[in-house]
Amino acid sequence: MTTQSITPETTRPAAKPGLRLRWLSDRLLAGTFLAPTLLLLLFITIFPLIWSLYLSFTSYNVNSDPSWLEAKWVGVDNYVYMLTTPRVWERFIESATFVVPTVTLEFLLGFGIALLFNREFKGRGLITTVILIPMMVAPLVAGLFWRFMFQADIGIVNYLIHDVLGFQPVFWLTDRTSAMISLIIVDTWQWTPFIFLISLAGLTAVPKYLYEAADVDRASTWFKFRHITLPLVWPLLLIGIIFRLMDAYKLFELAWVLTSGGPGTRVLPVHLYKIAFGDFATGRASALGYIMLVVIIALANLLVRAINRSRAAEV
Amino acid sequence: MSSITLQNLTKRFGATVAVNDLSLHIDDREFVVVVGPTGAGKTTTLRCVAGLEKPDDGMVLFDGQDVRSVSPAERDVAFVFQNYALYPRKTAFENIAFPLQARNLSAAEIKAEVERTARMLRIHHLLDRRPAQLSGGEQQRVALGRAMVRRPRAFLMDEPLTNLDFQLRAQMRSELKRIQRELDNTFFYVTNDQVEALSMGDRIAVLNAGTLHQVGTPQEIYEHPADLFVAAFIGSIRMNFLRCAFIADTGALVSADGGWSLPAPPRLREGAQKSKDPGQLILGVRPEDVLLSTEAGNGALEGQVYVAEPLGNHNVYNVRIGPALVRVKTPATFMLDAEARVSVQFNMARAHLFDSATEQALT
Ligand SMILES: Nc1ncnc2c1ncn2[C@@H]1O[C@H](COP(=O)(O)OP(=O)(O)OP(=O)(O)O)[C@@H](O)[C@H]1O
Ligand SMILES: [Mg+2]
């Protein structure tokens, strides 16, 4: 009886081993394929990271020190210097004055436009594509033509303000406050589409029947927005905000192209650049870089936690 | 609390006609069940009533008023969605409370109402769970709760009991019926389960492929199906259909293959004469109107048991009569072996006759 229950498969001869090499396990094979990438990554990312971490504890100056071997170990001196210099705090504040309004503005505009677009209308696809164009322009290029438009005497912006509307011309890029405003305008112009895109994706993913149920339940538009739209789109929006925060925080090209880091727009990355390649204080610059890194990691961490919290609410 | 009238309602989706020229009146405080197979257009009909779908033709009236330009919210109906449509980020409590919150009731009032409703539906122990943490049947009852907590003009329910197990469904059937009497409101109820329709509806409307086949009380529908579709769809064991011809000279019904001949009682005779083609008729006999016996009887047909299905409280036999198979329902105590020879008698007083060309009932 039991002998008959043997399935035919087991009595068939085992499949031919083919080209399989015994010593080549799946893990080894995977490792072999990954190795070149890992090595490259190690060389261009991990190594500089560790290297600059080391340099941040030295008084190394890439211009005057003949070799990094002679760099003097100074312990945490660079960090202490950076954290106690009022100028650095001013830079942090200047960065914050840029990042907070910019990301807020991008969020409000992007989400707002997405809300308007969250319905069927003629030409929706085309207009959506047009709205996305600024995002596709290289930041450097965007900075260059905005610089032209912001020119105090020949720029089109002042032409509109002064010649057409009859107001006083604005010194867009040279005045402290208006330089920062210019920076905010250009970055908002370029990256609002990003938030718009993410919001639109989130809004489209909200099932239509939830709104139908809410309609039948006699909920007001605001109630539907507050209780259906927002909770469902919020996690995705937070991801968009993290992206924008990190990106705005490390903004360099735009500030450099628009004002060359002039008054009012000397945000942290510009400051870092000037320490590193103006003063050639490599050690100090590395220390500032690490301080910036810690700040952004802490910030991102907070937001990621917020996302996880709203994700947990889903279960 | 209002009456609902559908007038020549038509709804198309591209080439599909989901609802085809449907007219139906539901009285104030009436419980009307629309029953039909999947894809019949039941959901589409309800959605038109709720204002979630715009009819292509015809109109919906509430208390005789055309509601074409009235928004879903202003129509003030409660809707139990077939897919529940629960708010995913909200607990069961918040889901049920949603219509009340949207109306700005006080927190204490809301709590009392929600808890009363939840107890009625036996989900009060689940109130702090989110939909993803509930089983299908529990979600369905939360969806019911969200509707029941309101005092709307009418309740629209789209298959609200399909996901419950047999026992709970039977309980909820009578519970819903009781609730309807208690709330004293109009219920427009949709299901694909003919048992639900027969047991709950004041009246039943049978829908298939967007077309209304018959409207009537459960008894009317069961006893006098208007056509072949209704006859086949209503009844827990499908009605037997036998092709036959009416011979006017002898007043007999003769099977299409000539295997049997039965005298037609006056009712069937009159019916047969209404047909344009009395040579092409279909005799309909419900399984419980077929009598089996092991002894040869007067005027009985000869048959042989093909398949026996003991179902606990009754048995179903498939009996071969010539080339035809006939389903027979017998008491559980009536035991036969497969292959057993039996004599078969139709209760002709309760038999139906259909025209095979028009598929309409003749009796
Ligand atoms: N939004 C839509 N777009 C296209 N076709 C649709 C749409 N909604 C329904 N239909 C079609 O209309 C017909 C009726 O659909 P409906 O949902 O009303 O059926 P139903 O009777 O509720 O079926 P079920 O019992 O399966 O829920 C079906 O053929 C369906 O494919
Ligand atoms: Mg349906």
Side-chain angles (χ1 to χ4, degrees):
Chain A
M1 274 299 265
T2 45
T3 49
Q4 278 173 337
S5 68
I6 292 172
T7 52
E9 275 84 354
T10 54
T11 57
R12 212 184 280 158
K16 277 205 180 129
L19 256 180
R20 202 177 157 86
L21 303 170
R22 285 208 174 278
W23 52 267
L24 190 62
S25 66
D26 283 356
R27 277 184 75 88
L28 194 62
L29 195 67
T32 314
F33 280 123
L34 284 175
T37 318
L38 280 178
L39 281 176
L40 197 70
L41 210 66
L42 212 66
F43 184 67
I44 64 172
T45 312
I46 315 286
F47 168 70
L49 208 66
I50 295 168
W51 181 234
S52 60
L53 184 62
Y54 164 71
L55 288 181
S56 72
F57 292 105
T58 66
S59 66
Y60 184 56
N61 181 318
V62 77
N63 204 25
S64 54
D65 290 343
S67 155
W68 61 270
L69 287 169
E70 277 149 58
K72 209 168 86 208
W73 181 267
V74 294
V76 292
D77 277 9
N78 288 334
Y79 288 90
V80 172
Y81 172 80
M82 280 298 160
L83 290 172
T84 50
T85 315
R87 273 173 57 90
V88 173
W89 288 111
E90 279 164 28
R91 297 302 136 231
F92 263 103
I93 288 169
E94 201 140 302
S95 262
T97 350
F98 167 69
V99 171
V100 175
T102 306
V103 176
T104 310
L105 216 59
E106 284 166 6
F107 167 74
L108 291 178
L109 282 174
F111 188 47
I113 300 173
L115 281 176
L116 291 179
F117 272 61
N118 191 27
R119 69 201 67 179
E120 289 302 320
F121 58 86
K122 245 180 139 177
R124 178 172 179 249
L126 183 73
I127 303 174
T128 305
T129 314
V130 170
I131 288 183
L132 296 185
I133 287 176
M135 210 168 80
M136 304 172 195
V137 179
L140 205 72
V141 178
L144 279 174
F145 66 73
W146 273 97
R147 191 171 75 187
F148 274 116
M149 295 201 289
F150 276 142
Q151 287 288 337
D153 37 11
I154 57 161
I156 188 163
V157 179
N158 268 356
Y159 167 77
L160 289 175
I161 289 176
H162 180 66
D163 297 20
V164 176
L165 297 174
F167 291 108
Q168 282 296 309
V170 179
F171 293 95
W172 283 107
L173 301 175
T174 42
D175 176 73
R176 262 194 97 76
T177 316
S178 50
M180 176 55 89
I181 292 176
S182 312
L183 200 59
I184 293 174
I185 289 177
V186 179
D187 197 77
T188 305
W189 171 82
Q190 183 154 39
W191 293 113
T192 294
F194 175 74
I195 300 281
F196 165 74
L197 201 62
I198 287 213
S199 308
L200 203 59
L203 289 172
T204 325
V206 180
K208 211 172 125 239
Y209 58 73
L210 292 182
Y211 293 113
E212 292 180 342
D215 273 339
V216 172
D217 286 342
R218 322 194 74 190
S220 65
T221 309
W222 165 248
F223 204 79
K224 279 186 276 186
F225 177 76
R226 171 76 192 70
H227 288 273
I228 296 173
T229 312
L230 216 49
L232 286 173
V233 182
W234 192 235
L236 204 59
L237 279 183
L238 271 180
I239 290 174
I241 291 175
I242 290 188
F243 266 110
R244 282 312 306 140
L245 267 183
M246 300 213 276
D247 210 41
Y249 179 70
K250 66 183 171 66
L251 169 117
F252 175 77
E253 314 91 309
L254 213 55
W256 192 251
V257 173
L258 279 181
T259 63
S260 315
T265 58
R266 193 154 176 174
V267 287
L268 275 166
V270 174
H271 188 59
L272 179 68
Y273 175 85
K274 290 206 165 161
I275 298 176
F277 300 104
D279 312 342
F280 292 106
T282 316
R284 281 184 183 171
S286 301
L288 180 58
Y290 269 92
I291 292 168
M292 285 174 63
L293 187 70
V294 169
V295 169
I296 194 67
I297 286 176
L299 213 63
N301 217 3
L302 281 180
L303 287 168
V304 168
R305 262 184 221 185
I307 291 177
N308 287 339
R309 223 177 305 125
S310 61
R311 279 277 155 76
E314 233 165 304
V315 181
Chain B
M1 273 157 275
S2 70
S3 72
I4 299 171
T5 314
L6 311 181
Q7 256 178 29
N8 307 98
L9 195 72
T10 299
K11 177 72 194 174
R12 297 180 203 92
F13 295 106
T16 319
V17 185
V19 181
N20 187 8
D21 198 24
L22 178 88
S23 294
L24 178 65
H25 177 78
I26 298 162
D27 268 331
D28 186 12
R29 289 149 213 230
E30 195 181 15
F31 197 130
V32 169
V33 178
V34 172
V35 64
T38 176
K42 308 180 296 289
T43 299
T44 310
T45 308
L46 271 196
R47 288 174 57 86
C48 287
V49 174
L52 300 172
E53 214 76 71
K54 214 170 136 310
D56 291 311
D57 251 313
M59 54 184 176
V60 178
L61 305 121
F62 282 29
D63 284 333
Q65 301 274 311
D66 183 3
V67 290
R68 195 174 329 204
S69 54
V70 181
S71 74
E74 290 168 76
R75 289 187 191 197
D76 194 15
V77 292
F79 198 136
V80 181
F81 288 81
Q82 187 171 5
N83 63 355
Y84 323 140
L86 296 177
Y87 307 117
R89 296 303 184 84
K90 296 188 172 291
T91 61
F93 182 96
E94 290 164 332
N95 263 284
I96 298 174
F98 191 91
L100 302 178
Q101 280 170 343
R103 258 175 43 204
N104 288 324
L105 257 66
S106 83
E109 278 174 296
I110 290 177
K111 192 161 186 295
E113 277 295 290
V114 171
E115 276 172 1
R116 190 183 59 77
T117 309
R119 203 156 291 129
M120 198 160 71
L121 295 163
R122 303 200 188 94
I123 44 171
H124 47 277
H125 56 295
L126 305 168
L127 282 178
D128 51 359
R129 300 220 201 142
R130 284 170 208 283
Q133 299 166 316
L134 296 170
S135 78
E138 289 161 351
Q139 290 180 37
Q140 200 156 35
R141 277 175 288 160
V142 174
L144 258 174
R146 191 174 60 184
M148 303 289 221
V149 82
R150 296 178 48 191
R151 295 285 170 272
R153 292 172 75 169
F155 287 94
L156 311 180
M157 303 196 168
D158 197 351
E159 309 194 12
L161 305 182
T162 35
N163 254 319
L164 306 183
D165 64 55
F166 178 76
Q167 285 194 354
L168 191 55
R169 196 186 309 183
Q171 268 174 21
M172 292 299 296
R173 275 206 300 266
S174 45
E175 191 78 347
L176 267 182
K177 194 68 191 152
R178 186 186 64 73
I179 290 168
Q180 190 251 346
R181 243 172 270 130
E182 197 174 287
L183 297 179
D184 200 20
N185 208 327
T186 313
F187 271 53
F188 193 167
Y189 187 103
V190 155
T191 178
N192 57 27
D193 179 358
Q194 48 90 31
V195 178
E196 244 169 63
L198 290 172
S199 62
M200 297 172 81
D202 293 333
R203 281 189 308 143
I204 298 176
V206 184
L207 194 67
N208 184 39
T211 307
L212 191 60
H213 281 248
Q214 190 177 2
V215 186
T217 62
Q219 202 192 348
E220 280 167 4
I221 300 268
Y222 192 82
E223 304 283 341
H224 306 288
D227 57 25
L228 276 181
F229 175 79
V230 178
F233 191 73
I234 302 290
S236 47
I237 312 167
R238 203 177 132 101
M239 188 186 275
N240 295 296
F241 296 115
L242 302 155
R243 295 198 167 276
C244 62
F246 177 67
I247 312 295
D249 300 346
T250 57
L253 291 169
V254 181
S255 79
D257 54 81
W260 49 260
S261 167
L262 291 169
R267 191 176 56 94
L268 293 191
R269 227 176 292 159
E270 275 166 38
Q273 275 152 0
K274 277 190 260 169
S275 171
K276 279 215 190 78
D277 183 5
Q280 297 282 324
L281 301 178
I282 292 172
L283 179 70
V285 187
R286 291 208 185 271
E288 58 265 37
D289 296 329
V290 185
L291 216 68
L292 288 190
S293 157
T294 44
E295 292 145 37
N298 191 17
L301 310 174
E302 302 230 328
Q304 188 177 17
V305 174
Y306 185 60
V307 182
E309 275 183 82
L311 293 175
N313 60 350
H314 63 268
N315 297 336
V316 175
Y317 291 100
N318 282 291
V319 177
R320 205 193 277 277
I321 301 175
L325 269 185
V326 172
R327 284 172 296 276
V328 185
K329 184 178 169 187
T330 70
T333 49
F334 188 84
M335 305 284 252
L336 283 176
D337 294 327
E339 310 287 310
R341 302 215 155 262
V342 284
S343 64
V344 184
Q345 249 177 328
F346 297 148
N347 180 357
M348 295 301 266
R350 293 177 54 83
H352 307 268
L353 215 46
F354 302 91
D355 187 314
S356 68
T358 63
E359 302 199 345
Q360 295 298 312
L362 296 165
T363 45

